[in-house]
Amino acid sequence: MHVDIGNALASEVSPGVSRAALERLDDQVADAHERIERGMANAEHGYEALNLPERTDPDEISAAVEPVADSEALITVGIGGSALGAATITDALAAESDTEAVYLDNVDPEWVSNHLEGLPLEETAINVVSRSGTTAETLANFLVVRDAFESAGVDWTERTIVTTGESGPLRDLANRHDLPSLKVPDGVPGRFSALSAVGMVAAAVCGHDLEALLAGAAAERETLTGSLFDCPAYAYGATAYALDQRGAGINAMVPYAESLETFAEWFAQLWAESLGKDDLGQTPVRALGVTDQHSQLQLYRAGPRDKLVTFVSPGETDDRPIPDTDVEDLAYLGDATLGELLEAEFEATEASLAAAGRPNVRLELEAVDEYELGGLLYGMEAACVLAGELYGVNTFEQPAVEWAKKATRGLLGGGDFEEADAVAEKTELRVER
Amino acid sequence: MHVDIGNALASEVSPGVSRAALERLDDQVADAHERIERGMANAEHGYEALNLPERTDPDEISAAVEPVADSEALITVGIGGSALGAATITDALAAESDTEAVYLDNVDPEWVSNHLEGLPLEETAINVVSRSGTTAETLANFLVVRDAFESAGVDWTERTIVTTGESGPLRDLANRHDLPSLKVPDGVPGRFSALSAVGMVAAAVCGHDLEALLAGAAAERETLTGSLFDCPAYAYGATAYALDQRGAGINAMVPYAESLETFAEWFAQLWAESLGKDDLGQTPVRALGVTDQHSQLQLYRAGPRDKLVTFVSPGETDDRPIPDTDVEDLAYLGDATLGELLEAEFEATEASLAAAGRPNVRLELEAVDEYELGGLLYGMEAACVLAGELYGVNTFEQPAVEWAKKATRGLLGGGDFEEADAVAEKTELRVER
């Protein structure tokens, strides 16, 4: 991953960060880097995520998925960090795989049923992922999926891989049925686990190159030094932080490749759940080039000056010529390819924001492949950890989600929780049709 | 559509709006409503969109699509407002249709090729939509699609419906090949055109009930009165505006149904492109319940107090029981259905934000069907028009997107534009791996 922060400089845009301010910030980056290195060296909670390129054993994952490695489809049952990392990888590389990767990361009944109806269950593998083994949505969906396999006369125990913690209901289940199983690594929060078994089982079933994913991440890890001017990940994290301090409380992630749409969702979780606390944190917005030029660009260019736009340039891709046309006004299209049009629109949009004085940053990949993707995921995680140090928040916890979990459980009769009582006390001001 | 703004009141949340402030704001709403009614009566640019329930002729649309009404698939070639309204309708109602609806709203070459490879072209219809007939992405994709049909030996002229303006290259094409064609209505910006031929051709090909869509919209139109306390659409628009004034510059749209995910994208265009100007406008964020509870909820509940969260409750849906489990800790799930779990999570999440003093609003549908969807789309458009009046912006223009269009054209050799020259002058500050 390369990063270009030229369009975030105060000489170009507002809000922007001056070179002098970046240099001052670099002292804080150096201190934060020391903290991060120490956390990594001591395998501290959260920091351990940045050790995954060395810790993850690709052979162990490949061996576990071997019984289902030739499946026509793979259902991953997980939610949040237990789904998004895996989905980011398999969606980015979908064109290279014959396995259809499906993610049951919601409990919408109609949608779950539609997914299950369309799949050849006798050729479908199940990948169930939950650290605790008690995540309500994941366990509910797993019970539904298991039942659907049984109803279709397919032995789910022959087709299921479990990724979970050392103990809990899913671990017990794996032991009882002798299922291939992998461990969610200790000290690695879900949203930082893409480069562990949590994110890589699906990639393995889909036939992607796990070693290249890890090698790309390891190369990015090598760039973690004490200066934002030498490290793309830190350059990004520090610039995003500095712009937020100066009023850019929104961070719009805009990949210029459909294959990276899920990456933007993954980034949104990483950024929101890690930094969104203590009344701090940038709000991530997921967008897509070129599509959202016709939806969000007006706002980004002429709305409030509260945004950083982060572009992802995918590098080399397959291309397709635009056929000639006899319409004079459109002749210029016939001289181009779709890829050239996409690239021109990217450059034009980036320049259009800069010309309006709106800050933007470019993340550059050489291509969308395992190596580059490993680097991108690792780089964004390191950027996020750095930003968390600069904000001074606890990057690796997410305490604010507990309230709703308890209330849900209480509402469904799974115990007494005062949160459930609060639900009934809602203040209404209804306006009816 | 019903609206509940109880959790936006200053007595409950911060930022919030007091009942007294809402009553004062209602005077402005009354004035704005007069302006809107006048605009509608005079068929003024933009306001004309709110007349669509009476103006759109469903029989004309049904007649136009008749030659391809039994297609296995439909490719809609359009972008922005020429795709999102149609996609919102067919995605919401996909479970009721046997026609696969595909939207080519991006020029990513690999993605376009993948879409075309999977379709049975001899049973596929083409729906090309562009008011000007010169939209670069749409015309490029249309040339590609046409070529793919020709290469497969399928006569595209037998399978194409054109929706465009009174003149331009697409109108000429429709005339030359005698294609069934419909007119983009005058005075209706693309993002407000879902309830015209622009949004309804795809619905018609997919077999949905156009009259029910329009009837739902007409019922919502009946609620447009001079008071936010009597009109769900105005209640929503006025509350969103009032919260933005008080610091909620972000509006997170969170439907609790996968079928409404595209609705959130449609809303994001409507809100961003209409209100995002003069350094004003809320930034729409697209999210999804329950999935994003495991991604964005931490930020929404504990991050900066700069957000309104808008929930959409889908009402009655198909349900699916959760099979029993012998795991004691999970027994409560076996007593519930997926739908009950979804509903409990929605109520819990809504209450969790209120308990943390974070403003949220609930939009309620009775069900996800044509009638309710028509009401929802119309209601949000009316809310947006009202908000535009309150902000005092020109709701119906989008001047900030022109710069990048000119630059793109210049970069591709389609003419001399100074914007293209500016692209080459980019300031770089690159950090390389």
Side-chain angles (χ1 to χ4, degrees):
Chain A
M1 175 178 87
H2 310 304
V3 172
D4 183 349
I5 57 172
N7 280 347
L9 294 173
S11 54
E12 311 298 318
V13 296
S14 171
V17 55
S18 69
R19 281 176 193 261
L22 277 176
E23 275 158 31
R24 286 191 299 274
L25 184 58
D26 208 31
D27 291 341
Q28 291 182 54
V29 170
D31 292 346
H33 176 65
E34 271 189 39
R35 174 71 191 91
I36 292 168
E37 289 268 281
R38 197 166 65 244
M40 289 169 68
N42 297 335
E44 287 180 51
H45 180 72
Y47 299 99
E48 177 72 348
L50 298 179
N51 290 322
L52 284 176
E54 298 99 69
R55 295 274 205 276
T56 301
D57 179 358
D59 296 334
E60 187 191 5
I61 297 170
S62 298
V65 309
E66 202 280 324
V68 294
D70 56 352
S71 295
E72 282 183 30
L74 170 70
I75 303 173
T76 295
V77 187
I79 194 163
S82 295
L84 277 172
T88 297
I89 298 169
T90 62
D91 286 355
L93 305 174
E96 315 299 325
S97 176
D98 293 328
T99 301
E100 184 188 351
V102 169
Y103 291 85
L104 290 188
D105 61 354
N106 203 350
V107 291
D108 181 318
E110 191 174 86
W111 176 83
V112 169
S113 293
N114 287 346
H115 270 308
L116 290 174
E117 271 162 32
L119 292 173
L121 297 188
E122 66 284 356
E123 298 295 336
T124 296
I126 305 169
N127 172 31
V128 56
V129 189
S130 164
R131 180 194 302 267
S132 66
T134 61
T135 311
E137 300 90 341
T138 300
L139 272 291
N141 273 338
F142 180 59
L143 292 170
V144 165
V145 168
R146 211 169 75 162
D147 191 61
F149 274 64
E150 281 171 1
S151 298
V154 181
D155 184 356
W156 64 269
T157 67
E158 297 286 320
R159 313 207 53 81
T160 299
I161 304 157
V162 173
T163 305
T164 189
E166 223 153 331
S167 62
L170 276 183
R171 177 59 59 196
D172 296 343
L173 179 102
N175 291 341
R176 197 156 64 243
H177 295 283
D178 203 20
L179 307 178
S181 72
L182 290 153
K183 197 166 151 294
V184 178
D186 291 332
V188 179
R191 59 188 173 277
F192 287 91
S193 66
L195 297 165
S196 75
V198 174
M200 290 172 74
V201 162
V205 174
C206 292
H208 302 304
D209 183 342
L210 306 190
E211 290 188 11
L213 271 162
L214 293 169
E220 208 73 33
R221 191 246 171 284
E222 288 303 306
T223 70
L224 296 191
T225 60
S227 170
L228 71 91
F229 297 104
D230 299 326
C231 170
Y234 287 171
Y236 182 72
T239 302
Y241 167 76
L243 288 171
D244 184 13
Q245 277 196 310
R246 287 157 176 79
I250 294 168
N251 187 343
M253 177 58 73
V254 191
Y256 267 70
E258 288 274 345
S259 61
L260 294 176
E261 194 170 14
T262 310
F263 162 74
E265 288 194 40
W266 173 87
F267 172 82
Q269 184 197 9
L270 179 76
W271 216 248
E273 226 170 41
S274 300
L275 307 175
K277 45 200 63 157
D278 303 346
D279 289 356
L280 297 171
Q282 266 184 332
T283 297
V285 176
R286 299 160 266 188
L288 184 66
V290 306
T291 308
D292 279 311
Q293 294 171 208
H294 294 258
S295 167
Q296 303 302 301
L297 181 57
Q298 166 70 34
L299 172 71
Y300 293 175
R301 193 167 196 266
R305 292 181 175 273
D306 58 0
K307 287 170 201 70
L308 159 64
V309 175
T310 304
F311 294 107
V312 188
S313 169
E316 203 180 310
T317 56
D318 286 352
D319 208 347
R320 185 167 185 131
I322 301 172
D324 285 336
T325 168
D326 52 2
V327 179
E328 197 180 335
D329 196 38
L330 301 172
Y332 73 100
L333 290 174
D335 297 331
T337 64
L338 285 185
E340 286 162 0
L341 177 58
L342 185 76
E343 175 69 18
E345 298 221 31
F346 163 58
E347 290 181 4
T349 301
E350 180 184 57
S352 128
L353 291 178
R358 306 301 175 121
N360 59 90
V361 168
R362 183 200 285 206
L363 309 180
E364 291 175 23
L365 306 184
E366 309 264 347
V368 179
D369 60 19
E370 285 92 340
Y371 185 86
E372 290 290 305
L373 200 56
L376 178 66
L377 295 174
Y378 188 92
M380 289 296 102
E381 291 180 16
C384 183
V385 173
L386 176 80
E389 300 295 332
L390 297 174
Y391 282 109
V393 295
N394 187 336
T395 309
F396 306 114
E397 303 293 338
Q398 53 287 332
V401 304
E402 291 307 314
W403 198 103
K405 285 187 188 172
K406 288 181 193 161
T408 298
R409 194 168 171 136
L411 288 175
L412 292 176
D416 282 334
F417 296 94
E418 60 183 3
E419 288 84 356
D421 303 333
V423 172
E425 290 157 18
K426 182 180 180 321
T427 301
E428 291 197 344
L429 176 46
R430 296 191 80 219
V431 182
E432 306 200 353
R433 186 180 58 211
Chain B
M1 176 177 86
H2 310 303
V3 172
D4 183 349
I5 58 172
N7 281 346
L9 295 172
S11 53
E12 312 298 318
V13 298
S14 172
V17 54
S18 69
R19 280 176 194 261
L22 277 176
E23 275 158 29
R24 285 190 300 272
L25 184 58
D26 209 31
D27 291 340
Q28 290 181 55
V29 170
D31 291 344
H33 175 65
E34 270 188 41
R35 174 70 190 90
I36 293 168
E37 288 270 282
R38 198 166 65 244
M40 289 169 67
N42 297 335
E44 287 179 52
H45 180 72
Y47 299 99
E48 177 72 348
L50 297 179
N51 289 323
L52 285 176
E54 298 99 68
R55 295 273 205 277
T56 301
D57 179 358
D59 295 335
E60 186 191 6
I61 298 170
S62 298
V65 309
E66 202 280 323
V68 294
D70 56 352
S71 295
E72 281 182 32
L74 170 70
I75 303 172
T76 296
V77 186
I79 195 164
S82 296
L84 277 173
T88 297
I89 298 169
T90 62
D91 286 355
L93 305 174
E96 315 298 324
S97 176
D98 293 327
T99 301
E100 184 187 352
V102 169
Y103 291 85
L104 290 188
D105 60 354
N106 203 351
V107 292
D108 180 318
E110 191 174 86
W111 175 83
V112 169
S113 293
N114 287 346
H115 270 308
L116 290 175
E117 270 162 33
L119 292 173
L121 297 188
E122 66 285 354
E123 298 295 335
T124 297
I126 305 169
N127 173 31
V128 56
V129 188
S130 164
R131 182 194 302 268
S132 65
T134 60
T135 311
E137 300 91 339
T138 299
L139 273 291
N141 274 338
F142 179 60
L143 293 171
V144 165
V145 168
R146 212 168 74 163
D147 191 61
F149 273 65
E150 280 171 1
S151 299
V154 181
D155 183 356
W156 63 269
T157 66
E158 297 286 320
R159 314 207 53 79
T160 298
I161 305 158
V162 173
T163 305
T164 188
E166 224 151 332
S167 61
L170 276 182
R171 176 60 58 196
D172 296 343
L173 180 101
N175 292 341
R176 196 157 66 243
H177 295 283
D178 203 20
L179 307 179
S181 72
L182 290 153
K183 197 167 150 296
V184 178
D186 291 332
V188 179
R191 59 187 173 278
F192 287 91
S193 66
L195 296 165
S196 76
V198 174
M200 290 171 75
V201 162
V205 175
C206 291
H208 302 305
D209 183 342
L210 306 191
E211 291 188 10
L213 271 163
L214 293 169
E220 209 73 33
R221 190 245 171 287
E222 288 303 306
T223 71
L224 296 192
T225 60
S227 171
L228 71 92
F229 296 104
D230 299 327
C231 169
Y234 287 171
Y236 182 72
T239 303
Y241 166 76
L243 288 172
D244 184 13
Q245 276 197 310
R246 288 158 176 77
I250 295 168
N251 187 343
M253 177 58 74
V254 191
Y256 266 70
E258 288 273 346
S259 61
L260 294 175
E261 195 170 13
T262 309
F263 162 73
E265 289 193 42
W266 173 86
F267 173 80
Q269 184 197 7
L270 179 75
W271 216 246
E273 227 170 40
S274 301
L275 308 175
K277 45 201 62 157
D278 303 345
D279 288 356
L280 296 171
Q282 266 184 331
T283 297
V285 176
R286 299 159 268 188
L288 183 66
V290 307
T291 308
D292 279 311
Q293 295 171 208
H294 294 258
S295 167
Q296 303 302 301
L297 181 58
Q298 166 69 35
L299 171 71
Y300 292 176
R301 194 167 196 266
R305 292 180 175 273
D306 58 1
K307 288 169 199 72
L308 159 63
V309 176
T310 304
F311 294 109
V312 187
S313 169
E316 202 180 310
T317 57
D318 286 351
D319 207 346
R320 184 166 186 133
I322 302 172
D324 285 336
T325 167
D326 52 2
V327 179
E328 199 181 334
D329 197 38
L330 301 173
Y332 74 100
L333 290 176
D335 298 332
T337 64
L338 285 185
E340 286 162 1
L341 176 57
L342 184 76
E343 174 68 18
E345 298 220 32
F346 162 58
E347 290 182 2
T349 301
E350 180 183 57
S352 129
L353 291 177
R358 306 301 176 121
N360 58 90
V361 168
R362 184 200 284 205
L363 310 180
E364 291 175 23
L365 306 184
E366 309 264 347
V368 180
D369 59 21
E370 284 93 339
Y371 185 86
E372 290 290 304
L373 201 56
L376 178 67
L377 296 173
Y378 188 92
M380 289 295 102
E381 290 180 16
C384 184
V385 174
L386 176 79
E389 300 295 332
L390 296 175
Y391 282 108
V393 296
N394 188 336
T395 308
F396 305 114
E397 303 293 337
Q398 52 287 333
V401 304
E402 291 308 313
W403 198 102
K405 284 187 189 173
K406 287 182 194 160
T408 298
R409 194 166 172 137
L411 288 175
L412 291 176
D416 280 334
F417 295 95
E418 60 183 3
E419 289 84 355
D421 302 333
V423 172
E425 289 157 20
K426 180 179 180 323
T427 301
E428 291 197 346
L429 177 47
R430 296 191 80 220
V431 183
E432 304 200 355
R433 186 181 58 212

